[in-house]
């Protein structure tokens, strides 16, 4: 009897020990697999504050390894867009560029503009909005994103609704022209046939992360123009449309020195931000340069995207052939600074 108890106790201890080893491998270490980065192939320990890269709680922080950072260190972050961080585009719309500076780009309602155009990546946005009486320009918001890469296309949009209901999912997706369905459950995931595109729900509704392997990560959240927003900014939102729109934040893994676009140009090493410091709403133009004909069109006056280059991806990174001022740029550059 005593022997049986001891054996059972040893078995329990062994199971706990093995479970601890599995958990340590599954939850506390993440492999950096971004090809061409300094941290590629390394297993990096996640902080105790956020030991997992997944969570069923949309408000929880998760473990992120930024493979573009030379220190190869994991950090904790929220899984929804941070509208006050580089690479973000929120509100009407306000962007924070790769240089860390805030600027506004108003565009025009019901038209499309290129946010990022590189040799192997293009991201367009559809703007919605309206122009109340007495205004000289439209109030606008980002309603949809269209992404072109590797001879593939992907789109994500906020569906129109007159009254906002956060219990209803307002996201619509397409892949290569076909609508895709993503189960309405937290952490439900869709992969492209080659598994180079991943769409994962952060919450059961209205929040996702889109990952394009070795190219970009896009955090997306759908929100309405609230009555409070309307009162503060005097948008004069009509009763039949709450202008459901996207809050977005981008991380790019391999931008080239010639990247362009409303947001993309701010990641160029030679970009000089024309926005005046101290201005409450610094507006940067470019409507004529970045206007494109549709959500998935590769063409605009300043676009550099090429289907051929997209298919045969360039392996040369920015840091391999330029001198970088490491004091100038902020997050999301896909660049390694070396002393």
């Amino acid at each position: 009897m005593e022997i049986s108890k001891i054996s059972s106790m040893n078995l329990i201890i062994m199971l706990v020990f093995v479970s601890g080893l599995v958990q340590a491998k599954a939850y506390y270490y993440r492999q950096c697999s971004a090809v061409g980065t300094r941290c590629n192939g390394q297993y990096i320990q996640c902080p105790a504050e956020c030991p997992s890269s997944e969570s069923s709680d949309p408000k929880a922080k998760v473990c992120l390894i930024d493979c573009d950072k030379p220190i190869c260190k994991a950090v904790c972050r929220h899984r929804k867009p941070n509208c006050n961080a580089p690479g973000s585009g929120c509100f009407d719309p306000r962007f924070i560029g790769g240089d860390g500076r805030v600027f506004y780009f108003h565009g025009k309602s019901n038209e499309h503009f290129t946010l990022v155009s590189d040799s192997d990546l293009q991201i367009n946005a559809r703007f919605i909005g309206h122009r109340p009486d007495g205004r000289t320009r439209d109030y606008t918001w980002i309603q949809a994103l269209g992404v072109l890469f590797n001879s593939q296309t992907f789109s994500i949009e906020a569906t129109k609704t007159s009254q906002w209901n956060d219990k209803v999912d307002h996201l619509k997706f397409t892949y290569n022209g076909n609508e895709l369905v993503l189960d309405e459950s937290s952490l439900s995931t869709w992969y492209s046939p080659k598994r180079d595109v991943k769409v994962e729900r952060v919450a059961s509704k209205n929040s996702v992360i889109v990952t394009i392997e070795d190219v970009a990560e896009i955090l997306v959240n759908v929100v309405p123009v609230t009555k409070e927003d309307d009162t503060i900014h005097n948008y004069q939102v009509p009763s039949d449309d709450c202008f459901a729109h996207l809050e977005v934040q981008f991380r790019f893994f391999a931008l080239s020195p010639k990247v362009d676009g409303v947001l993309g140009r701010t990641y160029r090493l030679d970009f000089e931000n024309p926005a005046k410091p101290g201005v409450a709403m610094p507006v940067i133009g470019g409507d004529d340069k970045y206007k494109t004909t549709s959500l998935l069109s590769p063409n605009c006056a300043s676009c550099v995207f090429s289907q051929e280059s997209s298919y045969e991806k360039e392996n040369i990174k920015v840091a391999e052939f330029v001198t970088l001022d490491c004091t100038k740029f902020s997050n999301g550059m896909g660049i390694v600074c070396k002393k």
Side-chain angles (χ1 to χ4, degrees):
M1 189 72 164
E2 214 43 58
I3 294 174
S4 176
K5 285 183 180 180
I6 293 173
S7 298
S8 298
M9 183 67 71
N10 287 338
L11 178 61
I12 292 172
I13 292 172
M14 183 177 293
L15 288 173
V16 170
F17 177 71
V18 171
S19 174
L21 289 178
V22 171
Q23 186 176 19
K25 183 177 180 181
Y27 291 92
Y28 289 93
Y29 287 86
R30 289 287 174 267
Q31 184 179 25
C32 190
S33 57
V35 177
T37 61
R38 183 174 178 176
C39 309
N40 183 36
Q42 293 191 29
Y43 282 88
I44 300 170
Q45 187 173 9
C46 294
E49 179 190 354
C50 57
S52 175
S53 61
E54 296 181 348
S55 174
S56 58
D57 180 1
K59 296 182 179 179
K61 288 185 178 181
V62 295
C63 178
L64 168 70
I65 299 169
D66 193 339
C67 298
D68 299 322
K69 298 293 184 182
I71 57 174
C72 304
K73 183 179 179 181
V75 296
C76 295
R77 66 145 189 193
H78 292 288
R79 306 185 75 211
K80 291 187 178 183
N82 180 352
C83 292
N84 295 310
S88 61
C90 305
F91 315 124
D92 59 344
R94 187 194 77 169
F95 294 92
I96 300 182
D99 58 357
R101 293 180 62 178
V102 174
F103 69 94
Y104 289 79
F105 176 86
H106 296 304
K108 192 175 181 180
S109 177
N110 300 317
E111 292 190 356
H112 303 85
F113 298 90
T114 299
L115 300 186
V116 178
S117 184
D118 207 354
S119 58
D120 58 2
L121 171 69
Q122 177 129 336
I123 302 175
N124 298 332
R126 179 189 299 129
F127 285 26
I128 56 170
H130 76 137
R131 184 180 301 187
D133 291 340
R135 291 284 301 176
T136 58
R137 64 166 181 83
D138 296 345
Y139 287 118
T140 56
W141 296 270
I142 297 173
Q143 181 265 335
L145 296 177
V147 186
L148 296 85
F149 63 100
N150 292 357
S151 300
Q152 302 174 69
T153 63
F154 177 85
S155 72
I156 179 170
E157 62 181 276
T159 57
K160 183 177 179 179
T161 180
S162 57
Q163 300 296 323
W164 180 258
N165 183 350
D166 58 12
K167 295 182 180 180
V168 175
D169 188 48
H170 298 277
L171 282 170
K172 180 180 178 181
F173 312 91
T174 69
Y175 174 71
N176 288 344
N178 300 311
E179 187 171 347
L180 67 88
V181 178
L182 188 61
D183 291 341
E184 291 186 22
S185 60
S186 183
L187 300 185
S188 63
T189 304
W190 174 90
Y191 286 95
S192 63
K194 294 182 179 179
R195 299 184 72 84
D196 56 348
V197 183
K198 176 184 177 183
V199 185
E200 178 187 6
R201 287 196 186 274
V202 176
S204 60
K205 298 170 179 65
N206 299 315
S207 296
V208 296
I209 297 178
V210 180
T211 304
I212 303 170
E213 186 178 25
D214 297 333
V215 176
E217 179 187 73
I218 311 172
L219 282 66
V220 180
N221 199 36
V222 184
V223 294
V225 175
T226 65
K227 291 182 179 179
E228 183 181 5
D229 293 334
D230 194 13
T231 301
I232 293 173
H233 299 286
N234 192 29
Y235 291 136
Q236 301 177 46
V237 172
S239 59
D240 64 344
D241 195 345
C242 67
F243 294 117
H245 60 281
L246 305 181
E247 294 178 333
V248 299
Q249 185 181 9
F250 302 94
R251 282 206 313 137
F252 303 108
F253 303 136
L255 294 178
S256 79
K258 62 181 180 181
V259 63
D260 213 327
V262 173
L263 178 64
R265 57 186 165 176
T266 67
Y267 287 83
R268 294 176 67 138
L269 301 179
D270 60 354
F271 177 69
E272 296 294 337
N273 198 315
K276 295 181 179 179
V279 176
M281 290 185 63
V283 178
I284 297 182
D287 299 43
D288 54 338
K289 295 180 5 179
Y290 302 122
K291 182 178 177 181
T292 187
T293 54
S294 69
L295 189 64
L296 295 172
S297 169
N299 301 317
C300 73
S302 295
C303 285
V304 298
F305 177 78
S306 165
Q307 291 286 5
E308 291 76 18
S309 295
S310 177
Y311 186 74
E312 300 174 359
K313 262 187 160 184
E314 297 176 355
N315 293 320
I316 301 175
K317 299 288 188 275
V318 179
E320 293 174 349
F321 55 90
V322 296
T323 300
L324 172 63
D325 178 1
C326 293
T327 64
K328 181 178 180 181
F329 291 91
S330 192
N331 298 341
M333 282 296 297
I335 296 174
V336 175
C337 292
K338 296 182 179 179
K339 292 183 178 180

